[in-house]
């Protein structure tokens, strides 16, 4: 099992999506703006753009296109100009600036606002009572007729690889900003599935430890820690069900009819992730109950052993207590062989009692 877990970790590291920081789309345009790119007719337009220049170019060209602006943990001052430029609703702006939002989809006039919880599996050699297993972040998306604004919170969840994948599919980019929204939702849900598969290895390790030999019983702290980390994953996965149902079956006007069927596929993947998370939660409950039952059984066995040895010790205690009363007229008190006889009787009774306890499984 340890060798299999190490191999799985190596495979996950090998296929982990990396970000090429030399990519011009991620040239630093400010303290919060990670990139600003113009797409027209499914192709990326060359050049480094300021947000106002990019949206102006898109609207003046008369061709189908949109602007994709990516930000990372912007402040109110940094986001203020963008909010005015694109006419974003103040409530949606406040939610985008301040993290810790539930996954949701809301419509403000012609703009769609979506919130996703991003997750990442934290690699560790051995699960302990303090190990971090699941790291979460947030990703907010504004979708308009000719723009997409993504706001990322957390140290992971970079959209660089996703942008590169979309740029290799011009036919998908031609479908507009809602195609970007679908790609983001699809990546987020795929990350859920990847994390749930990785968490399964930890659950199997805990299960193996609990049902191993009694000398290597699992630690309850590990089980509780894994349940806490699974709860964090659950808070990201479960609330996303309703937003994806809206996008798949009751999409706002900002979602292209051509993209709507794609959200149904994402919803199916989310259902699979939800089933896995719920199954893992129930399995951890069963493992915890089994562990507590093992602890109770072990305590009962220890008490039986203590009771058996106490019964054996009671025999010499009783005999020595009687002969320690110092009466003149006691049986065999002045007999030469009285002392050896008393010791022999004590030893015989102790051996008989010990054998009886061994036969009944108490020792």
């Amino acid at each position: 099992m340890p060798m299999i877990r190490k191999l799985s970790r190596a495979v996950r590291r090998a296929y982990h999506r990396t970000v090429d920081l030399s990519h011009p789309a991620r040239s630093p345009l400010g303290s919060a703006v990670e990139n600003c790119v113009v797409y027209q007719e499914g192709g990326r337009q060359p050049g480094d753009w300021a947000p106002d220049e990019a949206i102006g170019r898109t609207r003046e060209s008369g061709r189908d296109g949109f602007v994709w602006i990516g930000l990372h943990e912007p402040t109110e001052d940094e986001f203020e100009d963008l909010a005015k430029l694109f006419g974003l609703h103040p409530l949606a702006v406040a939610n985008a600036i301040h993290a810790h939002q539930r996954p949701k989809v809301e419509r403000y006039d012609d703009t769609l606002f979506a919130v996703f919880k991003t997750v990442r599996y934290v690699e560790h050699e051995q699960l302990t009572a303090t190990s971090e297993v699941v790291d979460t972040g947030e990703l907010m998306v504004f979708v308009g007729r000719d723009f997409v604004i993504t706001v990322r919170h957390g140290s992971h969840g970079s959209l660089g690889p996703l942008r590169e994948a979309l740029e290799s599919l011009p036919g998908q980019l031609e479908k507009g900003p809602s195609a970007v929204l679908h790609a983001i939702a699809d990546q987020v849900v795929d990350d859920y599935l990847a994390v749930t598969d990785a968490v399964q290895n930890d659950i199997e390790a805990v299960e193996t430890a609990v049902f191993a030999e009694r000398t290597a019983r699992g630690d309850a702290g590990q089980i509780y820690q894994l349940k806490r980390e699974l709860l964090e994953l659950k808070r990201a996965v479960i609330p996303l069900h309703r937003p994806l149902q809206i996008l798949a079956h009751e999409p706002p006007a900002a979602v292209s009819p051509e993209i709507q069927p794609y959200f149904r596929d994402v919803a199916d993947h989310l259902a699979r992730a939800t089933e896995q998370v719920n199954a893992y939660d129930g399995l951890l409950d069963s493992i915890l109950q089994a562990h507590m039952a093992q602890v109770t059984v072990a305590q009962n066995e220890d008490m039986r052993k203590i009771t058996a040895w106490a019964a054996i010790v009671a025999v010499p205690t009783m005999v020595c207590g009687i002969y320690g009363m110092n009466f003149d007229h006691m049986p065999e008190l002045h007999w030469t062989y009285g002392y050896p006889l008393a010791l022999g009787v004590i030893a015989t009774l102790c051996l008989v009692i010990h054998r009886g306890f061994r036969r009944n499984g108490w020792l």
Side-chain angles (χ1 to χ4, degrees):
M1 285 300 295
M3 182 63 68
I4 295 177
R5 288 196 292 273
K6 290 181 180 178
L7 180 61
S8 65
R9 292 191 187 101
V11 171
R12 286 198 299 273
R13 292 191 184 104
Y15 286 93
H16 183 68
R17 288 189 291 267
T18 59
V19 179
D20 179 12
L21 296 178
S22 64
H23 194 293
R26 286 179 291 278
S27 298
L29 302 177
S31 57
V33 178
E34 292 184 310
N35 45 63
C36 179
V37 182
V38 176
Y39 296 97
Q40 289 183 335
E41 297 179 350
R44 171 181 175 160
Q45 302 302 301
D48 296 332
W49 303 87
D52 54 346
E53 295 174 344
I55 193 62
R57 162 71 181 272
T58 301
R59 292 173 178 174
E60 291 173 1
S61 65
R63 295 189 297 171
D64 291 336
F66 64 93
V67 178
W68 184 353
I69 302 174
L71 301 96
H72 181 248
E73 298 181 355
T75 63
E76 293 183 11
D77 294 337
E78 291 169 335
F79 206 83
E80 182 179 3
D81 292 338
L82 280 178
K84 292 179 180 179
L85 179 63
F86 292 96
L88 305 179
H89 196 279
L91 289 178
V93 172
N95 289 336
I97 295 174
H98 305 288
H100 309 296
Q101 304 293 324
R102 283 174 56 87
K104 60 182 178 180
V105 170
E106 295 178 343
R107 182 174 63 86
Y108 296 96
D109 297 328
D110 295 332
T111 302
L112 183 69
F113 177 64
V115 178
F116 301 95
K117 285 279 191 181
T118 59
V119 299
R120 178 179 66 93
Y121 180 77
V122 180
E123 295 287 349
H124 49 272
E125 293 299 328
Q126 184 177 4
L127 181 67
T128 66
T130 58
S131 295
E132 184 181 13
V133 178
V134 179
D135 183 23
T136 60
E138 291 186 32
L139 184 60
M140 290 79 167
V141 185
F142 293 88
V143 179
R145 182 181 61 84
D146 52 10
F147 66 88
V148 176
I149 300 176
T150 56
V151 182
R152 184 167 59 91
H153 291 267
S155 59
H156 65 277
S158 172
L159 298 177
L162 175 65
R163 183 189 298 274
E164 294 169 353
L166 278 174
E167 289 175 357
S168 66
L169 301 171
Q172 195 73 0
L173 281 175
E174 285 182 350
K175 297 174 183 176
S178 56
V180 177
L181 178 63
H182 160 260
I184 291 173
D186 189 46
Q187 174 175 304
V188 168
V189 174
D190 285 346
D191 289 341
Y192 291 166
L193 292 172
V195 172
T196 53
D197 290 341
V199 170
Q200 183 179 6
N201 294 329
D202 291 318
I203 295 178
E204 291 176 352
V206 169
E207 185 179 21
T208 300
V210 168
F211 292 101
E213 296 295 331
R214 291 188 303 171
T215 54
R217 285 194 296 268
D219 181 10
Q222 296 179 0
I223 305 175
Y224 279 116
Q225 177 64 13
L226 197 52
K227 280 187 66 67
R228 283 193 294 266
E229 295 296 311
L230 189 64
L231 178 60
E232 192 170 356
L233 177 60
K234 197 172 183 179
R235 288 172 179 167
V237 174
I238 303 300
L240 188 57
H241 173 75
R242 179 55 184 164
L244 282 183
Q245 290 298 317
I246 293 175
L247 294 174
H249 302 287
E250 309 167 20
V255 177
S256 170
E258 296 178 300
I259 295 297
Q260 181 182 351
Y262 291 91
F263 282 109
R264 296 173 189 165
D265 181 65
V266 178
D268 291 339
H269 292 173
L270 180 67
R272 176 189 162 194
T274 302
E275 291 174 358
Q276 286 183 327
V277 170
N278 290 330
Y280 293 163
D281 193 29
L283 181 58
L284 281 175
D285 287 336
S286 300
I287 293 174
L288 181 61
Q289 292 176 0
H291 172 74
M292 299 307 296
Q294 286 183 340
V295 171
T296 301
V297 170
Q299 289 176 343
N300 290 338
E301 291 179 353
D302 293 340
M303 288 302 300
R304 287 196 303 180
K305 291 180 180 179
I306 294 172
T307 303
W309 283 111
I312 294 173
V313 173
V315 173
T317 302
M318 180 187 65
V319 175
C320 294
I322 293 174
Y323 274 89
M325 290 187 292
N326 297 323
F327 290 114
D328 289 334
H329 303 287
M330 296 186 68
E332 313 300 340
L333 188 61
H334 300 287
W335 184 39
T336 304
Y337 301 103
Y339 182 68
L341 178 63
L343 293 179
V345 170
I346 291 174
T348 302
L349 291 176
C350 289
L351 289 174
V352 170
I353 296 174
H354 183 272
R355 184 175 181 181
F357 283 134
R358 286 291 297 272
R359 184 180 301 171
N360 292 328
W362 283 46
L363 290 175

